[in-house]
Amino acid sequence: MVSRFSRAARRPTSPELITAWERLDAGDVPGALRLLRQADPAPLAEVALVVGRAAGTAGFDDLRTAAATLAAHPDRPQALYDYGYACVERGVSHLAIPALREALRLTGGAVAVLRELVSAYEDEGRHRDAVDALLAHEADLTDWPDHYLLVCNALLSGDLEQARRRYALLRPPDEDLWRGAHDRLDRMLRRAACAREVGPLDGADLRGWQFVMGGTVLGTLSPYGFDAGMTGRFAWLHDTHGQCLAGLVRLRAVLDAAGVRARSVSLLPDRDSRILGLAAAEVLGLPAEPFEAGRQDTVVVAYDLGATAGDPQGAAVLEQLRERVPGQVLHEHAGCWTDPPPVAADSVTLLHQSAVAPWAGGLRQGADDGGLEQGDPDPRPEEEIAASVVAADPEPDEGDGRTPADPVEGVAAFVTAVRDTWLRGDRDAVRSTGPVGSSRFL
């Protein structure tokens, strides 16, 4: 049956959706989509009307078509599935979830719909919901990929015991397609066993879970907002020379605790990374050399791997860093946790949503009216800026006093406990925040 809305209405009627529609009138597609994320549950047909218009403006014809079909036929499982699939493909998985849940209900648990719903939950970091959805249809699950997805999402939700129990029942895959995933899951569980020896692996153990998920040792916790939603991650950061130096000092402690004996620092091609790499060479007492694929026993230093990926030369280098060579350590200073880079670092100083390098010329207070203005980047040669980093004060920011004590000795103790599972396997990108949530600011 076609609803009265789908036959006749050309505009949404829910108050939140009317506001989103007005944003589209003004050409503000991102603003409209943000409102859809924040809006209370609304009829799927009305949501699809807004999404379809936004998709048309953005040139996403697949999503526009699927949304139009759903707006006309919100009770058809295929329309719900196609719309959910298109939302996932276009990076708006939060919009897919209600439609896929309804399609799953109407189909009585069709496995294809279930898998797409799990994918949407994973994109949104809703791993517990993914586990619940899989368990509700456990009788229909196959080992690969379904039970694998159950183990992985149980682990990423923080349910380590269920992940271990389910993994013990998971048969190794027969197809090459899944062998890499099986190996990654095995490494994650081994890292979890080591990390649990030195930390609680609870909902506030950011360092522990960062290591479990991607094999990354986190050097520092944000000193602000730990108990107010950030849990050790930064939101916006205007970096300082001193913070860069503090990160390199901790990198030195990490390498010492792990028994890594590097012979050089490898410089990546982007300017930010070259500056930090030159400073790292001074702090570590090693020669600095341009990056070469296959060089062993070296520390590859990046300021922000996401920015490196945006550099044409840097993107090619990151492809070469997916598979590590013996003795190679990839260190990143400022890792973006809301838009992770394509390669996971072995060591990262801090996690941020948005960061400005100390020499990049970010916003500053104007001398005339006190308002904010864009500062000029530091024009000095890279070697001089690197020297300023080495000469800076590395004393940590005391912050708001609510972050747990995080001395360098604690980081060294953590690395000592996990060193046998560090620097193993490839550097898979980490898309999940795992069990430790942090507030996001759009």
Side-chain angles (χ1 to χ4, degrees), residues 5 10 12 17 21 24 33 36 42-56 63-74 79-80 83-84 87 95 99:
F5 168 78
R10 296 179 180 273
L17 299 183
W21 192 268
L24 293 176
L33 294 179
L36 290 182
L44 277 170
E46 293 204 16
V47 174
L49 193 67
V50 178
V51 172
R53 186 180 174 201
L63 180 54
R64 178 187 58 79
T65 300
T69 303
L70 178 58
H73 306 288
L80 290 159
Y83 169 81
C87 285
L95 298 173

PDB file of all heavy atoms in Angstrom, residues 5 10 12 17 21 24 33 36 42-56 63-74 79-80 83-84 87 95 99:
ATOM      1  N   PHE A   5       1.451  10.095   2.296  1.00  0.00           N
ATOM      2  CA  PHE A   5       2.609  10.985   2.163  1.00  0.00           C
ATOM      3  C   PHE A   5       3.329  10.752   0.843  1.00  0.00           C
ATOM      4  O   PHE A   5       3.643  11.680   0.108  1.00  0.00           O
ATOM      5  CB  PHE A   5       3.583  10.749   3.323  1.00  0.00           C
ATOM      6  CG  PHE A   5       4.909  11.415   3.101  1.00  0.00           C
ATOM      7  CD1 PHE A   5       5.059  12.774   3.295  1.00  0.00           C
ATOM      8  CD2 PHE A   5       5.997  10.690   2.650  1.00  0.00           C
ATOM      9  CE1 PHE A   5       6.270  13.396   3.066  1.00  0.00           C
ATOM     10  CE2 PHE A   5       7.204  11.301   2.415  1.00  0.00           C
ATOM     11  CZ  PHE A   5       7.342  12.649   2.628  1.00  0.00           C
ATOM     12  N   ARG A  10       5.283  16.786  -1.184  1.00  0.00           N
ATOM     13  CA  ARG A  10       6.515  17.156  -1.860  1.00  0.00           C
ATOM     14  C   ARG A  10       7.529  17.715  -0.876  1.00  0.00           C
ATOM     15  O   ARG A  10       8.676  17.926  -1.246  1.00  0.00           O
ATOM     16  CB  ARG A  10       6.225  18.199  -2.947  1.00  0.00           C
ATOM     17  CG  ARG A  10       5.336  17.676  -4.067  1.00  0.00           C
ATOM     18  CD  ARG A  10       5.066  18.765  -5.086  1.00  0.00           C
ATOM     19  NE  ARG A  10       4.220  18.269  -6.158  1.00  0.00           N
ATOM     20  CZ  ARG A  10       4.681  17.661  -7.250  1.00  0.00           C
ATOM     21  NH1 ARG A  10       5.981  17.484  -7.381  1.00  0.00           N
ATOM     22  NH2 ARG A  10       3.859  17.248  -8.176  1.00  0.00           N
ATOM     23  N   PRO A  12       8.764  17.562   3.495  1.00  0.00           N
ATOM     24  CA  PRO A  12       8.562  16.864   4.774  1.00  0.00           C
ATOM     25  C   PRO A  12       7.677  17.687   5.705  1.00  0.00           C
ATOM     26  O   PRO A  12       7.546  18.903   5.561  1.00  0.00           O
ATOM     27  CB  PRO A  12       9.988  16.736   5.319  1.00  0.00           C
ATOM     28  CG  PRO A  12      10.744  17.860   4.696  1.00  0.00           C
ATOM     29  CD  PRO A  12      10.147  18.028   3.324  1.00  0.00           C
ATOM     30  N   LEU A  17      12.808  17.921  10.114  1.00  0.00           N
ATOM     31  CA  LEU A  17      13.062  17.730   8.693  1.00  0.00           C
ATOM     32  C   LEU A  17      12.738  18.979   7.893  1.00  0.00           C
ATOM     33  O   LEU A  17      13.367  19.238   6.856  1.00  0.00           O
ATOM     34  CB  LEU A  17      12.253  16.542   8.179  1.00  0.00           C
ATOM     35  CG  LEU A  17      12.567  15.186   8.827  1.00  0.00           C
ATOM     36  CD1 LEU A  17      11.749  14.092   8.182  1.00  0.00           C
ATOM     37  CD2 LEU A  17      14.053  14.871   8.743  1.00  0.00           C
ATOM     38  N   TRP A  21      15.225  20.755   5.386  1.00  0.00           N
ATOM     39  CA  TRP A  21      14.813  21.141   4.032  1.00  0.00           C
ATOM     40  C   TRP A  21      15.168  22.599   3.755  1.00  0.00           C
ATOM     41  O   TRP A  21      15.629  22.942   2.654  1.00  0.00           O
ATOM     42  CB  TRP A  21      13.312  20.926   3.904  1.00  0.00           C
ATOM     43  CG  TRP A  21      12.771  21.014   2.509  1.00  0.00           C
ATOM     44  CD1 TRP A  21      12.273  22.116   1.885  1.00  0.00           C
ATOM     45  CD2 TRP A  21      12.667  19.939   1.568  1.00  0.00           C
ATOM     46  NE1 TRP A  21      11.854  21.817   0.624  1.00  0.00           N
ATOM     47  CE2 TRP A  21      12.082  20.476   0.398  1.00  0.00           C
ATOM     48  CE3 TRP A  21      12.986  18.589   1.610  1.00  0.00           C
ATOM     49  CZ2 TRP A  21      11.833  19.690  -0.734  1.00  0.00           C
ATOM     50  CZ3 TRP A  21      12.737  17.808   0.484  1.00  0.00           C
ATOM     51  CH2 TRP A  21      12.167  18.364  -0.665  1.00  0.00           C
ATOM     52  N   LEU A  24      18.675  22.936   2.839  1.00  0.00           N
ATOM     53  CA  LEU A  24      18.899  22.604   1.436  1.00  0.00           C
ATOM     54  C   LEU A  24      18.485  23.756   0.532  1.00  0.00           C
ATOM     55  O   LEU A  24      19.111  24.004  -0.513  1.00  0.00           O
ATOM     56  CB  LEU A  24      18.134  21.331   1.066  1.00  0.00           C
ATOM     57  CG  LEU A  24      18.621  20.041   1.737  1.00  0.00           C
ATOM     58  CD1 LEU A  24      17.713  18.879   1.356  1.00  0.00           C
ATOM     59  CD2 LEU A  24      20.068  19.744   1.353  1.00  0.00           C
ATOM     60  N   LEU A  33      22.456  17.431   6.493  1.00  0.00           N
ATOM     61  CA  LEU A  33      22.785  16.072   6.927  1.00  0.00           C
ATOM     62  C   LEU A  33      23.100  16.024   8.417  1.00  0.00           C
ATOM     63  O   LEU A  33      22.773  15.040   9.099  1.00  0.00           O
ATOM     64  CB  LEU A  33      23.955  15.531   6.113  1.00  0.00           C
ATOM     65  CG  LEU A  33      23.680  15.315   4.617  1.00  0.00           C
ATOM     66  CD1 LEU A  33      24.908  14.800   3.911  1.00  0.00           C
ATOM     67  CD2 LEU A  33      22.500  14.362   4.413  1.00  0.00           C
ATOM     68  N   LEU A  36      19.879  15.820  10.184  1.00  0.00           N
ATOM     69  CA  LEU A  36      19.290  14.488  10.108  1.00  0.00           C
ATOM     70  C   LEU A  36      19.915  13.557  11.143  1.00  0.00           C
ATOM     71  O   LEU A  36      19.245  12.692  11.702  1.00  0.00           O
ATOM     72  CB  LEU A  36      19.480  13.904   8.708  1.00  0.00           C
ATOM     73  CG  LEU A  36      18.678  14.553   7.579  1.00  0.00           C
ATOM     74  CD1 LEU A  36      18.938  13.830   6.273  1.00  0.00           C
ATOM     75  CD2 LEU A  36      17.185  14.541   7.891  1.00  0.00           C
ATOM     76  N   ALA A  42      12.099  10.013  12.707  1.00  0.00           N
ATOM     77  CA  ALA A  42      11.057  10.567  11.838  1.00  0.00           C
ATOM     78  C   ALA A  42      10.666   9.497  10.831  1.00  0.00           C
ATOM     79  O   ALA A  42      11.417   8.540  10.606  1.00  0.00           O
ATOM     80  CB  ALA A  42      11.584  11.817  11.125  1.00  0.00           C
ATOM     81  N   PRO A  43       9.502   9.601  10.224  1.00  0.00           N
ATOM     82  CA  PRO A  43       9.094   8.612   9.224  1.00  0.00           C
ATOM     83  C   PRO A  43      10.147   8.453   8.131  1.00  0.00           C
ATOM     84  O   PRO A  43      10.670   9.453   7.601  1.00  0.00           O
ATOM     85  CB  PRO A  43       7.794   9.200   8.665  1.00  0.00           C
ATOM     86  CG  PRO A  43       7.270  10.075   9.763  1.00  0.00           C
ATOM     87  CD  PRO A  43       8.481  10.650  10.430  1.00  0.00           C
ATOM     88  N   LEU A  44      10.466   7.211   7.796  1.00  0.00           N
ATOM     89  CA  LEU A  44      11.514   6.956   6.816  1.00  0.00           C
ATOM     90  C   LEU A  44      11.223   7.610   5.478  1.00  0.00           C
ATOM     91  O   LEU A  44      12.135   8.093   4.799  1.00  0.00           O
ATOM     92  CB  LEU A  44      11.691   5.447   6.635  1.00  0.00           C
ATOM     93  CG  LEU A  44      12.574   4.737   7.666  1.00  0.00           C
ATOM     94  CD1 LEU A  44      12.454   3.229   7.519  1.00  0.00           C
ATOM     95  CD2 LEU A  44      14.007   5.183   7.515  1.00  0.00           C
ATOM     96  N   ALA A  45       9.973   7.648   5.089  1.00  0.00           N
ATOM     97  CA  ALA A  45       9.628   8.249   3.802  1.00  0.00           C
ATOM     98  C   ALA A  45       9.979   9.728   3.780  1.00  0.00           C
ATOM     99  O   ALA A  45      10.437  10.261   2.761  1.00  0.00           O
ATOM    100  CB  ALA A  45       8.140   8.054   3.508  1.00  0.00           C
ATOM    101  N   GLU A  46       9.777  10.412   4.902  1.00  0.00           N
ATOM    102  CA  GLU A  46      10.093  11.843   4.963  1.00  0.00           C
ATOM    103  C   GLU A  46      11.611  12.062   4.995  1.00  0.00           C
ATOM    104  O   GLU A  46      12.139  12.967   4.338  1.00  0.00           O
ATOM    105  CB  GLU A  46       9.442  12.470   6.188  1.00  0.00           C
ATOM    106  CG  GLU A  46       7.927  12.496   6.134  1.00  0.00           C
ATOM    107  CD  GLU A  46       7.345  13.586   7.019  1.00  0.00           C
ATOM    108  OE1 GLU A  46       8.114  14.497   7.416  1.00  0.00           O
ATOM    109  OE2 GLU A  46       6.141  13.564   7.296  1.00  0.00           O
ATOM    110  N   VAL A  47      12.311  11.225   5.762  1.00  0.00           N
ATOM    111  CA  VAL A  47      13.771  11.325   5.791  1.00  0.00           C
ATOM    112  C   VAL A  47      14.336  11.098   4.395  1.00  0.00           C
ATOM    113  O   VAL A  47      15.222  11.824   3.925  1.00  0.00           O
ATOM    114  CB  VAL A  47      14.373  10.315   6.787  1.00  0.00           C
ATOM    115  CG1 VAL A  47      15.897  10.325   6.696  1.00  0.00           C
ATOM    116  CG2 VAL A  47      13.924  10.633   8.205  1.00  0.00           C
ATOM    117  N   ALA A  48      13.796  10.097   3.703  1.00  0.00           N
ATOM    118  CA  ALA A  48      14.279   9.793   2.360  1.00  0.00           C
ATOM    119  C   ALA A  48      14.063  10.951   1.404  1.00  0.00           C
ATOM    120  O   ALA A  48      14.867  11.182   0.483  1.00  0.00           O
ATOM    121  CB  ALA A  48      13.592   8.534   1.841  1.00  0.00           C
ATOM    122  N   LEU A  49      12.985  11.698   1.590  1.00  0.00           N
ATOM    123  CA  LEU A  49      12.729  12.853   0.740  1.00  0.00           C
ATOM    124  C   LEU A  49      13.853  13.884   0.881  1.00  0.00           C
ATOM    125  O   LEU A  49      14.356  14.424  -0.114  1.00  0.00           O
ATOM    126  CB  LEU A  49      11.388  13.481   1.117  1.00  0.00           C
ATOM    127  CG  LEU A  49      10.808  14.506   0.143  1.00  0.00           C
ATOM    128  CD1 LEU A  49      10.424  13.830  -1.168  1.00  0.00           C
ATOM    129  CD2 LEU A  49       9.596  15.200   0.760  1.00  0.00           C
ATOM    130  N   VAL A  50      14.266  14.136   2.126  1.00  0.00           N
ATOM    131  CA  VAL A  50      15.357  15.091   2.372  1.00  0.00           C
ATOM    132  C   VAL A  50      16.670  14.533   1.835  1.00  0.00           C
ATOM    133  O   VAL A  50      17.442  15.239   1.169  1.00  0.00           O
ATOM    134  CB  VAL A  50      15.463  15.405   3.869  1.00  0.00           C
ATOM    135  CG1 VAL A  50      16.618  16.362   4.129  1.00  0.00           C
ATOM    136  CG2 VAL A  50      14.161  15.991   4.395  1.00  0.00           C
ATOM    137  N   VAL A  51      16.929  13.256   2.128  1.00  0.00           N
ATOM    138  CA  VAL A  51      18.188  12.644   1.684  1.00  0.00           C
ATOM    139  C   VAL A  51      18.263  12.635   0.157  1.00  0.00           C
ATOM    140  O   VAL A  51      19.314  12.910  -0.428  1.00  0.00           O
ATOM    141  CB  VAL A  51      18.306  11.212   2.244  1.00  0.00           C
ATOM    142  CG1 VAL A  51      19.508  10.479   1.631  1.00  0.00           C
ATOM    143  CG2 VAL A  51      18.442  11.251   3.760  1.00  0.00           C
ATOM    144  N   GLY A  52      17.158  12.333  -0.487  1.00  0.00           N
ATOM    145  CA  GLY A  52      17.162  12.311  -1.943  1.00  0.00           C
ATOM    146  C   GLY A  52      17.481  13.668  -2.539  1.00  0.00           C
ATOM    147  O   GLY A  52      18.231  13.769  -3.514  1.00  0.00           O
ATOM    148  N   ARG A  53      16.919  14.709  -1.949  1.00  0.00           N
ATOM    149  CA  ARG A  53      17.212  16.055  -2.460  1.00  0.00           C
ATOM    150  C   ARG A  53      18.679  16.410  -2.230  1.00  0.00           C
ATOM    151  O   ARG A  53      19.342  16.981  -3.101  1.00  0.00           O
ATOM    152  CB  ARG A  53      16.307  17.074  -1.787  1.00  0.00           C
ATOM    153  CG  ARG A  53      16.457  18.469  -2.388  1.00  0.00           C
ATOM    154  CD  ARG A  53      15.563  19.483  -1.719  1.00  0.00           C
ATOM    155  NE  ARG A  53      15.838  20.822  -2.225  1.00  0.00           N
ATOM    156  CZ  ARG A  53      15.538  21.933  -1.592  1.00  0.00           C
ATOM    157  NH1 ARG A  53      14.917  21.872  -0.421  1.00  0.00           N
ATOM    158  NH2 ARG A  53      15.832  23.110  -2.105  1.00  0.00           N
ATOM    159  N   ALA A  54      19.204  16.060  -1.040  1.00  0.00           N
ATOM    160  CA  ALA A  54      20.614  16.331  -0.755  1.00  0.00           C
ATOM    161  C   ALA A  54      21.512  15.557  -1.707  1.00  0.00           C
ATOM    162  O   ALA A  54      22.519  16.082  -2.206  1.00  0.00           O
ATOM    163  CB  ALA A  54      20.924  15.967   0.696  1.00  0.00           C
ATOM    164  N   ALA A  55      21.155  14.282  -1.970  1.00  0.00           N
ATOM    165  CA  ALA A  55      21.952  13.460  -2.878  1.00  0.00           C
ATOM    166  C   ALA A  55      21.944  14.037  -4.290  1.00  0.00           C
ATOM    167  O   ALA A  55      22.963  14.029  -4.986  1.00  0.00           O
ATOM    168  CB  ALA A  55      21.428  12.033  -2.875  1.00  0.00           C
ATOM    169  N   GLY A  56      20.800  14.535  -4.727  1.00  0.00           N
ATOM    170  CA  GLY A  56      20.740  15.139  -6.050  1.00  0.00           C
ATOM    171  C   GLY A  56      21.626  16.358  -6.164  1.00  0.00           C
ATOM    172  O   GLY A  56      22.307  16.567  -7.173  1.00  0.00           O
ATOM    173  N   LEU A  63      22.088   7.273  -4.787  1.00  0.00           N
ATOM    174  CA  LEU A  63      21.366   7.533  -3.545  1.00  0.00           C
ATOM    175  C   LEU A  63      20.091   8.324  -3.808  1.00  0.00           C
ATOM    176  O   LEU A  63      19.059   8.082  -3.174  1.00  0.00           O
ATOM    177  CB  LEU A  63      22.273   8.280  -2.565  1.00  0.00           C
ATOM    178  CG  LEU A  63      21.669   8.635  -1.206  1.00  0.00           C
ATOM    179  CD1 LEU A  63      21.097   7.406  -0.512  1.00  0.00           C
ATOM    180  CD2 LEU A  63      22.723   9.308  -0.314  1.00  0.00           C
ATOM    181  N   ARG A  64      20.134   9.250  -4.757  1.00  0.00           N
ATOM    182  CA  ARG A  64      18.930  10.020  -5.094  1.00  0.00           C
ATOM    183  C   ARG A  64      17.825   9.093  -5.590  1.00  0.00           C
ATOM    184  O   ARG A  64      16.663   9.195  -5.155  1.00  0.00           O
ATOM    185  CB  ARG A  64      19.273  11.059  -6.164  1.00  0.00           C
ATOM    186  CG  ARG A  64      18.061  11.878  -6.629  1.00  0.00           C
ATOM    187  CD  ARG A  64      18.427  12.777  -7.799  1.00  0.00           C
ATOM    188  NE  ARG A  64      18.947  12.007  -8.923  1.00  0.00           N
ATOM    189  CZ  ARG A  64      18.192  11.324  -9.782  1.00  0.00           C
ATOM    190  NH1 ARG A  64      16.876  11.298  -9.643  1.00  0.00           N
ATOM    191  NH2 ARG A  64      18.761  10.664 -10.776  1.00  0.00           N
ATOM    192  N   THR A  65      18.171   8.154  -6.455  1.00  0.00           N
ATOM    193  CA  THR A  65      17.181   7.222  -6.989  1.00  0.00           C
ATOM    194  C   THR A  65      16.635   6.308  -5.895  1.00  0.00           C
ATOM    195  O   THR A  65      15.412   6.072  -5.799  1.00  0.00           O
ATOM    196  CB  THR A  65      17.808   6.378  -8.112  1.00  0.00           C
ATOM    197  OG1 THR A  65      18.246   7.250  -9.163  1.00  0.00           O
ATOM    198  CG2 THR A  65      16.807   5.381  -8.672  1.00  0.00           C
ATOM    199  N   ALA A  66      17.540   5.790  -5.064  1.00  0.00           N
ATOM    200  CA  ALA A  66      17.104   4.883  -3.995  1.00  0.00           C
ATOM    201  C   ALA A  66      16.214   5.610  -2.997  1.00  0.00           C
ATOM    202  O   ALA A  66      15.223   5.052  -2.507  1.00  0.00           O
ATOM    203  CB  ALA A  66      18.327   4.300  -3.293  1.00  0.00           C
ATOM    204  N   ALA A  67      16.553   6.868  -2.700  1.00  0.00           N
ATOM    205  CA  ALA A  67      15.741   7.639  -1.754  1.00  0.00           C
ATOM    206  C   ALA A  67      14.362   7.924  -2.327  1.00  0.00           C
ATOM    207  O   ALA A  67      13.346   7.868  -1.615  1.00  0.00           O
ATOM    208  CB  ALA A  67      16.457   8.936  -1.397  1.00  0.00           C
ATOM    209  N   ALA A  68      14.300   8.226  -3.598  1.00  0.00           N
ATOM    210  CA  ALA A  68      13.001   8.496  -4.229  1.00  0.00           C
ATOM    211  C   ALA A  68      12.114   7.245  -4.199  1.00  0.00           C
ATOM    212  O   ALA A  68      10.903   7.326  -3.943  1.00  0.00           O
ATOM    213  CB  ALA A  68      13.210   8.967  -5.671  1.00  0.00           C
ATOM    214  N   THR A  69      12.728   6.100  -4.453  1.00  0.00           N
ATOM    215  CA  THR A  69      11.966   4.846  -4.414  1.00  0.00           C
ATOM    216  C   THR A  69      11.455   4.560  -3.008  1.00  0.00           C
ATOM    217  O   THR A  69      10.302   4.151  -2.806  1.00  0.00           O
ATOM    218  CB  THR A  69      12.830   3.682  -4.909  1.00  0.00           C
ATOM    219  OG1 THR A  69      13.300   3.967  -6.225  1.00  0.00           O
ATOM    220  CG2 THR A  69      12.042   2.389  -4.931  1.00  0.00           C
ATOM    221  N   LEU A  70      12.301   4.783  -2.013  1.00  0.00           N
ATOM    222  CA  LEU A  70      11.879   4.547  -0.630  1.00  0.00           C
ATOM    223  C   LEU A  70      10.788   5.529  -0.219  1.00  0.00           C
ATOM    224  O   LEU A  70       9.832   5.158   0.483  1.00  0.00           O
ATOM    225  CB  LEU A  70      13.078   4.667   0.314  1.00  0.00           C
ATOM    226  CG  LEU A  70      12.770   4.500   1.801  1.00  0.00           C
ATOM    227  CD1 LEU A  70      12.130   3.146   2.068  1.00  0.00           C
ATOM    228  CD2 LEU A  70      14.013   4.677   2.643  1.00  0.00           C
ATOM    229  N   ALA A  71      10.902   6.788  -0.626  1.00  0.00           N
ATOM    230  CA  ALA A  71       9.873   7.771  -0.285  1.00  0.00           C
ATOM    231  C   ALA A  71       8.512   7.352  -0.837  1.00  0.00           C
ATOM    232  O   ALA A  71       7.472   7.587  -0.211  1.00  0.00           O
ATOM    233  CB  ALA A  71      10.262   9.146  -0.816  1.00  0.00           C
ATOM    234  N   ALA A  72       8.524   6.689  -1.988  1.00  0.00           N
ATOM    235  CA  ALA A  72       7.266   6.249  -2.595  1.00  0.00           C
ATOM    236  C   ALA A  72       6.784   4.909  -2.043  1.00  0.00           C
ATOM    237  O   ALA A  72       5.583   4.644  -1.995  1.00  0.00           O
ATOM    238  CB  ALA A  72       7.443   6.143  -4.112  1.00  0.00           C
ATOM    239  N   HIS A  73       7.722   4.068  -1.595  1.00  0.00           N
ATOM    240  CA  HIS A  73       7.359   2.706  -1.169  1.00  0.00           C
ATOM    241  C   HIS A  73       8.096   2.346   0.132  1.00  0.00           C
ATOM    242  O   HIS A  73       8.949   1.455   0.141  1.00  0.00           O
ATOM    243  CB  HIS A  73       7.703   1.695  -2.264  1.00  0.00           C
ATOM    244  CG  HIS A  73       7.122   2.014  -3.597  1.00  0.00           C
ATOM    245  ND1 HIS A  73       5.772   1.889  -3.869  1.00  0.00           N
ATOM    246  CD2 HIS A  73       7.708   2.484  -4.736  1.00  0.00           C
ATOM    247  CE1 HIS A  73       5.549   2.243  -5.131  1.00  0.00           C
ATOM    248  NE2 HIS A  73       6.696   2.610  -5.670  1.00  0.00           N
ATOM    249  N   PRO A  74       7.797   3.002   1.231  1.00  0.00           N
ATOM    250  CA  PRO A  74       8.535   2.764   2.480  1.00  0.00           C
ATOM    251  C   PRO A  74       8.262   1.412   3.110  1.00  0.00           C
ATOM    252  O   PRO A  74       8.923   1.065   4.102  1.00  0.00           O
ATOM    253  CB  PRO A  74       8.045   3.903   3.381  1.00  0.00           C
ATOM    254  CG  PRO A  74       6.686   4.246   2.865  1.00  0.00           C
ATOM    255  CD  PRO A  74       6.762   4.042   1.392  1.00  0.00           C
ATOM    256  N   ALA A  79      13.246  -1.765  -1.454  1.00  0.00           N
ATOM    257  CA  ALA A  79      13.471  -0.316  -1.446  1.00  0.00           C
ATOM    258  C   ALA A  79      14.250   0.099  -0.204  1.00  0.00           C
ATOM    259  O   ALA A  79      15.159   0.943  -0.273  1.00  0.00           O
ATOM    260  CB  ALA A  79      12.134   0.415  -1.509  1.00  0.00           C
ATOM    261  N   LEU A  80      13.912  -0.494   0.920  1.00  0.00           N
ATOM    262  CA  LEU A  80      14.619  -0.189   2.170  1.00  0.00           C
ATOM    263  C   LEU A  80      16.081  -0.623   2.078  1.00  0.00           C
ATOM    264  O   LEU A  80      16.994   0.115   2.478  1.00  0.00           O
ATOM    265  CB  LEU A  80      13.933  -0.897   3.334  1.00  0.00           C
ATOM    266  CG  LEU A  80      12.550  -0.369   3.726  1.00  0.00           C
ATOM    267  CD1 LEU A  80      11.777  -1.423   4.501  1.00  0.00           C
ATOM    268  CD2 LEU A  80      12.679   0.915   4.538  1.00  0.00           C
ATOM    269  N   TYR A  83      18.152   1.571  -0.445  1.00  0.00           N
ATOM    270  CA  TYR A  83      18.422   2.876   0.155  1.00  0.00           C
ATOM    271  C   TYR A  83      19.515   2.749   1.221  1.00  0.00           C
ATOM    272  O   TYR A  83      20.461   3.546   1.253  1.00  0.00           O
ATOM    273  CB  TYR A  83      17.137   3.412   0.773  1.00  0.00           C
ATOM    274  CG  TYR A  83      17.298   4.633   1.660  1.00  0.00           C
ATOM    275  CD1 TYR A  83      17.404   5.905   1.119  1.00  0.00           C
ATOM    276  CD2 TYR A  83      17.325   4.486   3.047  1.00  0.00           C
ATOM    277  CE1 TYR A  83      17.541   7.026   1.943  1.00  0.00           C
ATOM    278  CE2 TYR A  83      17.457   5.594   3.876  1.00  0.00           C
ATOM    279  CZ  TYR A  83      17.565   6.852   3.317  1.00  0.00           C
ATOM    280  OH  TYR A  83      17.695   7.953   4.140  1.00  0.00           O
ATOM    281  N   GLY A  84      19.407   1.746   2.095  1.00  0.00           N
ATOM    282  CA  GLY A  84      20.427   1.552   3.121  1.00  0.00           C
ATOM    283  C   GLY A  84      21.787   1.291   2.520  1.00  0.00           C
ATOM    284  O   GLY A  84      22.800   1.848   2.959  1.00  0.00           O
ATOM    285  N   CYS A  87      23.237   4.486   1.176  1.00  0.00           N
ATOM    286  CA  CYS A  87      23.691   5.364   2.262  1.00  0.00           C
ATOM    287  C   CYS A  87      25.055   4.923   2.778  1.00  0.00           C
ATOM    288  O   CYS A  87      25.946   5.750   3.024  1.00  0.00           O
ATOM    289  CB  CYS A  87      22.680   5.364   3.406  1.00  0.00           C
ATOM    290  SG  CYS A  87      21.181   6.310   3.090  1.00  0.00           S
ATOM    291  N   LEU A  95      22.244   7.137   8.406  1.00  0.00           N
ATOM    292  CA  LEU A  95      20.942   7.209   7.745  1.00  0.00           C
ATOM    293  C   LEU A  95      20.484   5.843   7.256  1.00  0.00           C
ATOM    294  O   LEU A  95      19.284   5.621   7.047  1.00  0.00           O
ATOM    295  CB  LEU A  95      21.008   8.182   6.566  1.00  0.00           C
ATOM    296  CG  LEU A  95      21.325   9.640   6.922  1.00  0.00           C
ATOM    297  CD1 LEU A  95      21.528  10.466   5.658  1.00  0.00           C
ATOM    298  CD2 LEU A  95      20.210  10.230   7.773  1.00  0.00           C
ATOM    299  N   ALA A  99      16.540   2.203   8.063  1.00  0.00           N
ATOM    300  CA  ALA A  99      15.964   1.520   6.901  1.00  0.00           C
ATOM    301  C   ALA A  99      16.370   0.049   6.881  1.00  0.00           C
ATOM    302  O   ALA A  99      15.538  -0.834   6.576  1.00  0.00           O
ATOM    303  CB  ALA A  99      16.413   2.211   5.615  1.00  0.00           C
TER     304      ALA A  99
END
